[in-house]
Amino acid sequence: TVLAGKRAWGLALNRAGSRLYVANGAQNAIAVVAFEPQQPGATRLLGAIPVGWFPGAIVCDPARSQLAVANIKGQQVDTGNA
């Protein structure tokens, strides 16, 4: 069992399937898990990435080597007249 946080709302795997990213709403963070499905007991929590207020969705963008995170809560941002 790997404890990856509280209120997990979204999951994403990297292209290789070796990293699992978990959007933890109650912790305002993305848990990073080394995912080893072929080696029982080898899957482990690597750490957490702080993000905005209550992350609820996540996606891996392999073309840019980035994660995109959508937060459920937060303050309205004035974008001008965009």
Side-chain angles (χ1 to χ4, degrees):
T1 302
V2 175
L3 298 176
K6 296 177 93 176
R7 294 203 175 171
W9 282 69
L11 302 171
L13 274 172
N14 68 349
R15 182 180 286 181
S18 61
R19 292 288 182 271
L20 174 65
Y21 301 96
V22 183
N24 290 321
Q27 294 177 312
N28 300 331
I30 303 299
V32 182
V33 178
F35 188 60
E36 303 289 345
Q38 302 302 322
Q39 299 178 17
T43 297
R44 65 196 181 284
L45 180 64
L46 297 176
I49 303 168
V51 294
W53 191 7
F54 212 97
I58 185 170
V59 66
C60 288
D61 183 350
R64 294 183 179 92
S65 296
Q66 293 180 343
L67 295 173
V69 178
N71 298 317
I72 293 175
K73 297 182 179 184
Q75 301 296 320
Q76 182 176 352
V77 176
D78 182 7
T79 59
N81 291 322

